[in-house]
Amino acid sequence: MTSAITDFFRDTEVSPLIVLSIATGLVLLCWQFAFTGLDPREPPEVKASIPFGHHLGMLWYKAEYVTILSRKVKLPIYTIRILGSRMYIIRSPELIQKIFANPKAFTFDTFASTAVGRLLNISGPDMKILLQEPGPENRPSYSYDNHNITHATLTPSTALSQLNDSFQTRLAKSFNAIDPAGTVVYLHQWSRDVVTHAACAAILGPDNPYEDDPSLIKALWDFETDLVLLILRILPSVTASKGYQGRARLTSAYLKYHNAGLWKQGSALLQGRRNIGKNHGFTDTQIAEWDLLFTIAAVTNAIPISFWMLSYILADHELASSVREELKSIVRIKVVDGVSTCEIDPVLIRGHCPLLVSIWEELLRFTSQPTLGRYVTSDTIINNEYLLKAGSVVQIPTGITHSDSSFWGSDASILNPRRFLKKDEKLSKEDREEKKLQSRAFTPFGGGKNLCPGRHAAANETLSFVSMMIYAFSIENKDGTQFKVIEAAPRAFGASVPKAEKDVEVVIKLREELRGVKLAFATGRE
Ligand code: HEM
């Protein structure tokens, strides 16, 4: 056989590269035909206009492809073929809710466990015990226990209030370090660093690795940026060198933190997760690695959205001054032992600052557009209508439902800061119907069993950061030009909120009337 191939190359003028390309094409074509026909009850298939068009689209547009495709395909649900298997894409809020309602048949855990296994190099029996199967003596699996403690400590409770307090205390420290006469920073990077410091203090406690070595913040974001390449694991030390090195530095810093017993001053969330890890026989290194992954989940969307929210307000003078006006009702100037403090109470924002809350919700609609994924574990019919086959993947491009004018009106494609201002009691019957449709179409935090447990913490983080920035500081472009919202980069696979493409240099100054005053947040409130 080998000599026949060599003879062929010797006897023909065709380059081996062309032959190889033709052979690859043929294999892929056979693969495409090998795809078993659709059951008539499955969602209709949408074929690409050119051969392998969906594959090329995925390679080119990455996470955005199913959103781009769904803008053209107006069906409530449809099927495409990817790598020889089915992918069901759902645009209809009604069908999306059916998926959320059945986490056994449509699971997120399969994706999460595969990704975590590849990131942490877990395989074989360890993988089963750690992530999916019941543990020894039929105890619940680690993933089950971990899911419960994470959701329990992040829903409104004393544990969450303490986490929020720690966030705000560390945030205030960064604000008080700003030179009142003016500090020049790159706003995107500076916001990222300030909020990351606070988020890590909230989870890990005040004495955490990032305080010892602030360069770990960059390592964390390098790791986060290279996450997909690290999951793919194709020569990661070369293809994802920054993330690869960042992960190594962070893992050893987190291990040092655990070995020194510093976890004892961490959040109830961190301590609860540590206990569960210990009960399931995790080593300290595994616990450190899990904490690192959790830190990524906690910062990956919350931090970009803080930057976007600040940017959209700053770019609109009238909006910024209305927000500042509204904030006056939750600001107190306190004088203790001759020291004046300007204190914002974030717990009061929901009740006293409707415009700020509306901007937050609109930012979630406008920027948090995850493509949610579920794996189909058994043949299931949804809505008494569509058969979804086991082994397939469901994709929910929320960018579609978040921008559909039939739910959001003719201004769906622009950011309207006052969109969520209408109060329920003032709504007409028609408005109430529209609101119902909107609430089903609004899934910035996903839904069902995996609905983001960090949503309350994220709201607190963003609203605390933005409210103090807008109330206490003036922020202007360093070059004197008008502040504008900068371009967003394409959304990465798995990310809900995009990051900024570039950065903008600004001068941050404490407002004249607050010179000599310290900044703080009210704490100890539930
Ligand atoms: C604006 C900020 C945030 C956004 C937009 C966001 C969005 C999401 C989304 C879309 C999911 C997947 C849900 C699904 O598939 O149905 C998710 C899951 C998750 N998020 Fe968030 N998130 C944010 C902030 C946070 C924060 C601050 C934390 C932690 C403190 C956090 C922790 C998690 C965890 C642990 C999961 C996995 C939940 C599970 O599988 O049960 N997130 N998030």
Side-chain angles (χ1 to χ4, degrees):
M1 180 67 179
T2 320
S3 73
I5 294 171
T6 345
D7 290 350
F8 174 79
F9 283 135
R10 197 193 50 233
D11 297 343
T12 54
E13 303 263 290
V14 186
S15 108
L17 204 65
I18 294 176
V19 176
L20 200 70
S21 311
I22 294 170
T24 314
L26 282 174
V27 169
L28 287 172
L29 215 60
C30 294
W31 192 357
Q32 185 92 341
F33 281 118
F35 181 87
T36 52
L38 289 192
D39 185 298
R41 292 165 302 165
E42 285 185 81
E45 184 184 354
V46 170
K47 292 194 169 142
S49 48
I50 54 165
F52 305 107
H54 294 318
H55 298 81
L56 296 173
M58 289 255 173
L59 283 175
W60 188 256
Y61 295 109
K62 303 191 175 68
E64 300 289 352
Y65 181 64
V66 288
T67 307
I68 293 168
L69 183 64
S70 301
R71 289 204 199 285
K72 294 188 208 138
V73 179
K74 305 280 183 197
L75 298 167
I77 180 168
Y78 59 96
T79 308
I80 63 171
R81 304 173 185 205
I82 289 287
L83 295 177
S85 54
R86 297 155 165 77
M87 184 180 275
Y88 304 118
I89 299 175
I90 309 190
R91 293 175 38 121
S92 139
E94 196 185 351
L95 298 179
I96 293 170
Q97 296 301 332
K98 303 277 180 211
I99 299 291
F100 290 155
N102 191 349
K104 266 205 165 144
F106 307 111
T107 171
F108 173 68
D109 300 351
T110 309
F111 296 128
S113 52
T114 309
V116 169
R118 292 183 72 80
L119 274 171
L120 302 187
N121 226 354
I122 305 171
S123 57
D126 270 357
M127 184 74 177
K128 283 192 172 166
I129 292 169
L130 296 184
L131 298 163
Q132 281 176 320
E133 308 292 321
E137 295 143 27
N138 263 344
R139 277 187 292 142
S141 67
Y142 172 75
S143 70
Y144 176 87
D145 281 346
N146 180 44
H147 179 272
N148 286 350
I149 191 77
T150 305
H151 284 254
T153 49
L154 287 172
T155 42
S157 60
T158 310
L160 178 63
S161 302
Q162 285 167 354
L163 185 111
N164 290 343
D165 283 357
S166 308
F167 176 88
Q168 286 146 14
T169 305
R170 181 61 184 84
L171 191 62
K173 186 176 165 193
S174 296
F175 286 148
N176 286 315
I178 294 174
D179 180 349
T183 298
V184 178
V185 295
Y186 280 99
L187 188 61
H188 180 241
Q189 191 185 320
W190 179 84
S191 313
R192 183 198 77 177
D193 292 357
V194 161
V195 187
T196 306
H197 260 309
C200 292
I203 297 168
L204 300 161
D207 209 351
N208 65 66
Y210 303 89
E211 298 296 333
D212 269 359
D213 180 358
S215 76
L216 287 177
I217 290 193
K218 181 167 181 314
L220 183 73
W221 285 97
D222 285 344
F223 178 29
E224 193 267 355
T225 305
D226 282 346
L227 215 56
V228 172
L229 291 172
L230 290 168
I231 290 170
L232 288 175
R233 282 211 313 228
I234 305 165
L235 272 183
S237 58
V238 179
T239 55
S241 62
K242 283 189 185 165
Y244 187 81
Q245 286 160 21
R247 176 176 62 183
R249 284 185 61 210
L250 288 157
T251 308
S252 89
Y254 273 58
L255 186 58
K256 211 169 125 200
Y257 159 91
H258 274 284
N259 288 342
L262 296 171
W263 57 270
K264 289 180 194 145
Q265 35 93 53
S267 58
L269 163 78
L270 178 109
Q271 297 194 23
R273 283 165 49 89
R274 185 185 156 92
N275 281 342
I276 285 166
K278 286 276 168 197
N279 289 343
H280 283 271
F282 274 32
T283 61
D284 279 349
T285 306
Q286 283 169 327
I287 289 176
E289 288 173 336
W290 274 91
D291 284 345
L292 175 55
L293 288 190
F294 187 85
T295 313
I296 296 277
V299 299
T300 191
N301 296 308
I303 287 176
I305 208 167
S306 301
F307 169 74
W308 294 122
M309 185 161 170
L310 176 64
S311 293
Y312 276 100
I313 299 177
L314 287 178
D316 179 340
H317 281 307
E318 186 271 320
L319 185 65
S321 63
S322 304
V323 169
R324 207 168 295 123
E325 201 51 39
E326 206 182 53
L327 284 166
K328 282 184 182 160
S329 65
I330 61 161
V331 173
R332 277 201 305 166
I333 302 287
K334 287 175 158 178
V335 184
V336 179
D337 297 334
V339 179
S340 300
T341 306
C342 164
E343 187 183 85
I344 289 187
D345 188 345
V347 171
L348 299 179
I349 290 178
R350 291 250 169 225
H352 291 73
C353 306
L355 178 58
L356 194 61
V357 175
S358 170
I359 301 171
W360 162 241
E361 291 184 353
E362 177 68 343
L363 253 293
L364 285 171
R365 181 192 75 86
F366 198 69
T367 64
S368 178
Q369 303 188 343
T371 296
L372 304 168
R374 297 291 188 265
Y375 180 76
V376 187
T377 58
S378 55
D379 286 7
T380 308
I381 293 185
I382 56 165
N383 218 28
N384 293 323
E385 199 176 356
Y386 298 107
L387 169 68
L388 306 190
K389 291 259 208 179
S392 314
V393 166
V394 171
Q395 293 274 282
I396 302 171
T398 64
I400 296 296
T401 41
H402 280 201
S403 61
D404 189 327
S405 54
S406 54
F407 309 131
W408 303 100
S410 53
D411 64 350
S413 62
I414 58 161
L415 184 128
N416 171 359
R418 293 175 173 81
R419 186 183 305 278
F420 288 87
L421 265 183
K422 280 189 197 165
K423 283 269 162 285
D424 284 348
E425 60 269 21
K426 291 189 193 142
L427 296 181
S428 65
K429 195 170 164 234
E430 225 173 46
D431 282 349
R432 273 203 303 277
E433 201 46 47
E434 186 189 70
K435 243 194 152 186
K436 213 165 109 192
L437 285 177
Q438 289 180 352
S439 75
R440 273 202 317 193
F442 184 65
T443 50
F445 292 110
K449 180 185 156 217
N450 302 97
L451 174 68
C452 173
R455 61 198 184 282
H456 305 289
N460 174 70
E461 292 180 5
T462 309
L463 293 172
S464 307
F465 171 72
V466 171
S467 58
M468 191 62 93
M469 289 296 286
I470 295 293
Y471 186 80
F473 297 100
S474 76
I475 302 159
E476 279 163 13
N477 279 2
K478 190 189 163 216
D479 63 9
T481 56
Q482 161 94 24
F483 183 91
K484 286 203 186 110
V485 179
I486 56 177
E487 289 277 303
R491 201 174 268 99
F493 267 116
S496 303
V497 182
K499 289 193 227 154
E501 184 85 276
K502 297 195 181 115
D503 212 337
V504 50
E505 205 172 17
V506 296
V507 186
I508 305 181
K509 261 189 220 162
L510 196 64
R511 292 189 178 281
E512 282 295 335
E513 64 273 24
L514 293 175
R515 295 286 162 89
V517 173
K518 284 193 94 57
L519 304 177
F521 294 95
T523 53
R525 315 243 304 144
E526 274 191 43

